[in-house]
């Protein structure tokens, strides 16, 4: 977002693009970014372009800060612990078995995720193959009674859930499983998303 100076007044994320690509020499990485913060600090993921992540392995993969990282989750951004806001990013042309672009799933209830806001992002042409959530997949957040995640003012365009017609899949745009917990989805736009089972725009599992 900056030119030659890192002064905040010179920051322009549209004119000065920061592209985080999963295409490294013709080989696609499983995750463009993993967020596994091990403290109580709050971070922002803002103003990036995430593209060409490909989380399509069949094994669970590796670990980070003692937390399991599954290589079939979250092609662009995989969140397993920490407190964060995600806003004003572009997520394009990513794919995974679960959560083609952005997967938010606690690995350990003792190291919770506090997802504050997902807002102002563009999710474009992403694919969740087996488990749903072409763009966004959220599951197993335990700290939502006082900090419900807010998903607002995003554009979900031409994302897809493919390859599976299982009752536990769906959600070309969003797949969310927070049964018994609080969350807010508002003021988003869904255009041309698709799902092979149900919920071309959103599938919410549970109450």
């Amino acid at each position: 977002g900056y030119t030659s100076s890192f002064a905040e007044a010179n920051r322009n994320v549209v004119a000065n693009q920061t592209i985080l690509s999963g295409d490294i020499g013709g080989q696609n990485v499983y995750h463009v970014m993993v967020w596994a913060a091990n403290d109580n600090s709050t971070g922002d993921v803002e103003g990036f372009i995430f593209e060409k992540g490909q989380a399509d392995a069949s094994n669970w993969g590796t670990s980070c800060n003692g937390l399991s990282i599954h290589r079939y989750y979250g092609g662009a951004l995989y969140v397993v612990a920490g407190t964060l806001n995600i806003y004003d990013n572009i997520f394009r042309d990513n794919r995974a078995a679960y959560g083609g672009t952005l997967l938010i799933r606690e690995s350990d209830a003792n190291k919770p995720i506090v997802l504050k806001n997902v807002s102002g992002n563009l999710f474009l042409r992403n694919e969740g193959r087996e488990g749903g959530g072409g763009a966004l997949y959220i599951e197993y957040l335990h700290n939502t009674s006082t900090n419900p995640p807010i998903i607002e003012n995003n554009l979900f365009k031409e994302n897809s859930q493919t390859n599976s017609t299982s009752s536990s899949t769906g959600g070309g745009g969003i797949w969310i499983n927070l049964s018994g917990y609080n969350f807010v989805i508002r003021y988003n736009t869904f255009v041309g998303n698709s799902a092979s089972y149900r919920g071309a725009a959103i599938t919410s599992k549970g109450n």
Side-chain angles (χ1 to χ4, degrees), residues 1 10-11 23 45 57 61 96 105 112 124 137 144 170 207:
N10 296 328
R11 187 167 185 264
D23 185 353
V45 178
R105 186 178 192 270
L124 177 64
Y137 184 113
T144 67
N207 300 324

Side-chain angles (χ1 to χ4, degrees), residues 118-136:
V118 178
S119 63
N121 302 284
L122 168 61
F123 297 89
L124 177 64
R125 296 188 305 270
N126 304 287
E127 180 185 1
R129 292 190 166 183
E130 303 299 330
L136 175 59

Side-chain angles (χ1 to χ4, degrees), residues 38-117:
N38 208 17
D39 56 28
N40 294 321
S41 61
T42 299
D44 296 327
V45 178
E46 177 198 5
F48 296 103
I49 297 175
F50 291 82
E51 64 179 22
K52 300 179 181 177
Q54 186 172 317
D56 58 359
S58 59
N59 62 339
W60 71 270
T62 186
S63 64
C64 181
N65 285 337
L67 300 169
S68 297
I69 306 298
H70 299 267
R71 288 181 172 165
Y72 41 81
Y73 284 162
L77 174 57
Y78 182 4
V79 180
V80 292
T83 301
L84 75 163
N85 298 287
I86 302 168
Y87 56 94
D88 297 336
N89 301 282
I90 296 173
F91 298 93
R92 65 190 183 195
D93 301 315
N94 301 283
R95 65 183 185 181
Y98 299 78
T101 286
L102 174 54
L103 187 132
I104 301 165
R105 186 178 192 270
E106 279 183 5
S107 178
D108 184 340
N110 294 315
K111 297 180 180 179
I113 295 170
V114 178
L115 178 64
K116 293 191 170 183
N117 286 280

Side-chain angles (χ1 to χ4, degrees), residues 155-175:
L155 172 57
F156 296 85
K157 185 176 181 181
E158 299 175 11
N159 304 284
S160 60
Q161 177 267 317
T162 59
N163 290 3
S164 178
T165 58
S166 166
S167 61
S168 62
T169 65
I174 298 173
W175 192 94

